[in-house]
Amino acid sequence: MHQINCKTFITENFLLNSKEAEILYHDYAKDMPIIDYHNHLSPKQIAENLPIGNITDAWLGGDHYKWRGMRANGVDEKYITGNTLKEDKFNKWAETVPYTLRNPLFHWTQLELKRYFDVDDILQPSTASEIYKKANSILATKTPADLLEDMNVEVICTTDDPIDNLEYHITIANRNIFTKVLPTFRPDGLLQIEGENFSDYIKKLSTCVGHSINNMNELLKAIQSRIDFFDAHGCRLSDYGLEQIYAYDFTEKEADSILKKRLVNKEITTDESNLYMSFILYKLCKMYHAKGWVQQFHLGALRNNNSRLLKEVGADVGCDSIGDFSQAEAMSTLFNNLDSENCLSKTITYNLNPSQNEVFATMMGNYSEGGVIGKMQWGSGWWFLDQKDGMEKQINTLSNMGLLSRFVGMLTDSRSLLSYPRHEYFRRILSNLMAEDMRKGLIPNDLPFVGKMIQDICYHNAVDYFKFNK
């Protein structure tokens, strides 16, 4: 491939197409602290407090976005998830980057190189060696806590299994670091009753809580115990990664019978599985409400499509896609049932299928509550929608169907400590969209008024919504 002009296009006014946009970003959005209320960072890595050392580890380890791009470019799997040399893996990514033009990976790559390593050159084979050396020399002394502080990250909420002992969160809490690191309760394992590992998971939960789990009453007691434990260690959010919400009619007796069948490894029907999941989901939501937690629903991913790679490499390696699941009716049933009992927590939903943007945005408006600002949130563009077009569509749809001014803003949903320029990306896009409306006469040409709204979306709304300091 022809060598790209080496100097980056990531200028001071990248994505800012007017003087108004420049003012809104630089004077209002740019310097706001970051609250990253959903990510998949490793609390173990943060607690160990060791320098990152190598950009391949920080950048390519676990990043299924890059892995998909490399596979599409014909890179052999050994350079993606294999045990080859770190520099060889980095070089294969450098070979791929020029071919990612117009993919968000191209923007993210250059933003991250600029913000963390002050690299202006575009990554490609001719620049790879020098960039690799420079990045590694900086990472040789940068701990995870340093990288988070460099990006002004005030709070991060990791994603944690109910059986996690939170030892790393406890270690971090006892250290004097800039960023507050809090757990998030992610109970997917409790719902996956059809999975072959379900009985083993319940045994681990039993060991964790110190009592047997042979029926529904004992399972609910164990779940409450873990929620209490997480709450005591700063947890204020829950999360689910589901294809769709489950809202079958149920009785506790029916759910108990289904659970007992699976605990002795008997087969259950799809309807029985859905009834059990509906019951557990409902009970979890009520427990969260009692704690004052925020609940998040990530809905619509069709996961692990490539059975060959699933067997050879494992889950979550870049073989997931957008699903076309039905969402509205079950969401309405669950939220309405909870709302009818005054047990509906603050809720954020995220959809992966862009054809359902309006479905999600309008659903959340059904359960707003007087006295609770922005209680029901339609979340930021997620996963495949976490890019310029997806962000703009989410912002525009939310503006049309709800109150953009009350939006709790961006998150990373990332496994990488080098992903925080995605907040900058979002802030530039938001500033530019608002400036375009000003220039078209669609909103008042009042920079302080619009700038304050942008600051709220970038930071203040999340502070008020999550109340991490309570």
Side-chain angles (χ1 to χ4, degrees), residues 139-261:
L139 292 175
T141 59
K142 289 280 187 180
T143 67
D146 293 333
L147 293 171
L148 291 167
E149 185 171 359
D150 287 347
M151 292 295 111
N152 200 19
V153 182
E154 195 170 273
V155 179
I156 67 169
C157 298
T158 59
T159 303
D160 309 281
D161 194 283
I163 63 175
D164 195 300
N165 63 15
L166 302 185
E167 61 174 304
Y168 300 116
H169 291 88
I170 294 167
T171 297
I172 295 165
N174 290 328
R175 287 211 180 107
N176 183 27
I177 68 171
F178 176 81
T179 305
K180 182 179 290 187
V181 180
L182 302 176
T184 297
F185 195 82
R186 174 86 169 235
D188 293 2
L190 294 169
L191 294 164
Q192 294 164 350
I193 191 169
E194 286 188 288
E196 61 182 28
N197 298 319
F198 179 75
S199 294
D200 289 339
Y201 182 83
I202 297 300
K203 289 176 184 176
K204 291 177 182 178
L205 177 61
S206 175
T207 300
C208 186
V209 297
H211 66 74
S212 61
I213 300 175
N214 298 308
N215 56 49
M216 184 57 71
N217 185 58
E218 290 172 349
L219 177 57
L220 294 176
K221 178 183 175 183
I223 294 171
Q224 185 64 65
S225 174
R226 298 312 294 164
I227 287 175
D228 291 343
F229 177 75
F230 269 61
D231 189 74
H233 291 288
C235 179
R236 298 294 178 265
L237 290 92
S238 65
D239 184 39
Y240 306 91
L242 303 173
E243 292 179 350
Q244 58 198 126
I245 283 176
Y246 299 93
Y248 273 43
D249 290 335
F250 59 75
T251 66
E252 184 165 345
K253 183 178 179 180
E254 290 172 320
D256 179 58
S257 175
I258 295 164
L259 173 64
K260 287 175 179 175
K261 286 174 69 173

Side-chain angles (χ1 to χ4, degrees), residues 304-324:
N304 302 315
N305 293 272
N306 188 322
S307 58
R308 176 182 56 80
L309 272 178
L310 177 64
K311 182 178 179 180
E312 293 175 1
V313 183
D316 303 321
V317 297
C319 298
D320 311 308
S321 62
I322 293 169
D324 54 357

Side-chain angles (χ1 to χ4, degrees), residues 179-462:
T179 305
K180 182 179 290 187
V181 180
L182 302 176
T184 297
F185 195 82
R186 174 86 169 235
D188 293 2
L190 294 169
L191 294 164
Q192 294 164 350
I193 191 169
E194 286 188 288
E196 61 182 28
N197 298 319
F198 179 75
S199 294
D200 289 339
Y201 182 83
I202 297 300
K203 289 176 184 176
K204 291 177 182 178
L205 177 61
S206 175
T207 300
C208 186
V209 297
H211 66 74
S212 61
I213 300 175
N214 298 308
N215 56 49
M216 184 57 71
N217 185 58
E218 290 172 349
L219 177 57
L220 294 176
K221 178 183 175 183
I223 294 171
Q224 185 64 65
S225 174
R226 298 312 294 164
I227 287 175
D228 291 343
F229 177 75
F230 269 61
D231 189 74
H233 291 288
C235 179
R236 298 294 178 265
L237 290 92
S238 65
D239 184 39
Y240 306 91
L242 303 173
E243 292 179 350
Q244 58 198 126
I245 283 176
Y246 299 93
Y248 273 43
D249 290 335
F250 59 75
T251 66
E252 184 165 345
K253 183 178 179 180
E254 290 172 320
D256 179 58
S257 175
I258 295 164
L259 173 64
K260 287 175 179 175
K261 286 174 69 173
R262 282 298 289 130
L263 290 179
V264 294
N265 294 314
K266 289 184 178 179
E267 293 294 320
I268 60 173
T269 67
T270 298
D271 281 343
E272 286 177 319
S273 173
N274 289 340
L275 188 151
Y276 165 85
M277 289 190 286
S278 300
F279 176 81
I280 292 295
L281 189 59
Y282 184 74
K283 288 293 186 178
L284 284 165
C285 291
K286 293 187 73 170
M287 292 178 187
Y288 301 154
H289 181 267
K291 290 293 186 185
W293 286 5
V294 175
Q295 59 187 5
Q296 301 174 95
F297 294 88
H298 286 84
L299 303 173
L302 187 61
R303 299 175 187 270
N304 302 315
N305 293 272
N306 188 322
S307 58
R308 176 182 56 80
L309 272 178
L310 177 64
K311 182 178 179 180
E312 293 175 1
V313 183
D316 303 321
V317 297
C319 298
D320 311 308
S321 62
I322 293 169
D324 54 357
F325 308 102
S326 175
Q327 302 290 356
E329 187 173 355
M331 266 199 292
S332 177
T333 299
L334 177 62
F335 296 160
N336 191 58
N337 288 342
L338 292 165
D339 184 72
S340 297
E341 294 191 31
N342 294 315
C343 291
L344 181 58
S345 299
K346 290 180 179 178
T347 301
I348 309 173
T349 60
Y350 310 84
N351 63 294
L352 199 56
N353 191 327
S355 71
Q356 297 173 328
N357 281 0
E358 286 81 3
V359 171
F360 276 67
T362 56
M363 181 60 66
M364 303 315 285
N366 293 331
Y367 301 101
S368 300
E369 182 177 333
V372 184
I373 294 172
K375 175 180 176 178
M376 305 296 287
Q377 294 272 334
W378 176 46
S380 61
W382 168 48
W383 203 340
F384 296 109
L385 309 183
D386 179 16
Q387 27 77 4
K388 183 175 180 292
D389 180 65
M391 290 179 190
E392 290 175 345
K393 286 178 178 176
Q394 190 270 347
I395 291 168
N396 287 330
T397 302
L398 180 56
S399 299
N400 288 329
M401 307 296 177
L403 298 182
L404 177 65
S405 58
R406 295 303 191 182
F407 179 40
V408 292
M410 180 61 180
L411 47 85
T412 63
D413 190 32
S414 175
R415 290 168 171 78
S416 172
L417 285 158
L418 302 185
S419 65
Y420 283 92
R422 293 186 196 178
H423 282 260
E424 174 186 340
Y425 199 59
F426 170 81
R427 292 173 180 189
R428 288 176 179 273
I429 290 166
L430 175 64
S431 298
N432 193 65
L433 278 177
M434 299 300 290
E436 287 301 304
D437 279 359
M438 292 174 67
R439 289 170 62 83
K440 293 174 182 176
L442 298 174
I443 62 175
N445 192 350
D446 187 331
L447 287 165
F449 176 75
V450 177
K452 173 61 168 60
M453 176 178 163
I454 287 173
Q455 289 183 328
D456 287 344
I457 294 168
C458 292
Y459 176 71
H460 294 297
N461 288 347

Side-chain angles (χ1 to χ4, degrees), residues 60 62-82 92-93 96 99-100 105 304-306 308-310 312-320:
L60 296 173
D63 191 339
H64 52 80
Y65 290 86
K66 292 187 179 73
W67 294 352
R68 285 174 70 95
M70 293 168 78
R71 290 189 190 113
N73 200 43
V75 174
D76 191 285
E77 192 67 29
K78 69 180 181 181
Y79 297 107
I80 301 172
T81 58
K92 288 297 182 181
W93 173 238
T96 300
Y99 293 97
T100 67
L105 286 165
N304 302 315
N305 293 272
N306 188 322
R308 176 182 56 80
L309 272 178
L310 177 64
E312 293 175 1
V313 183
D316 303 321
V317 297
C319 298
D320 311 308

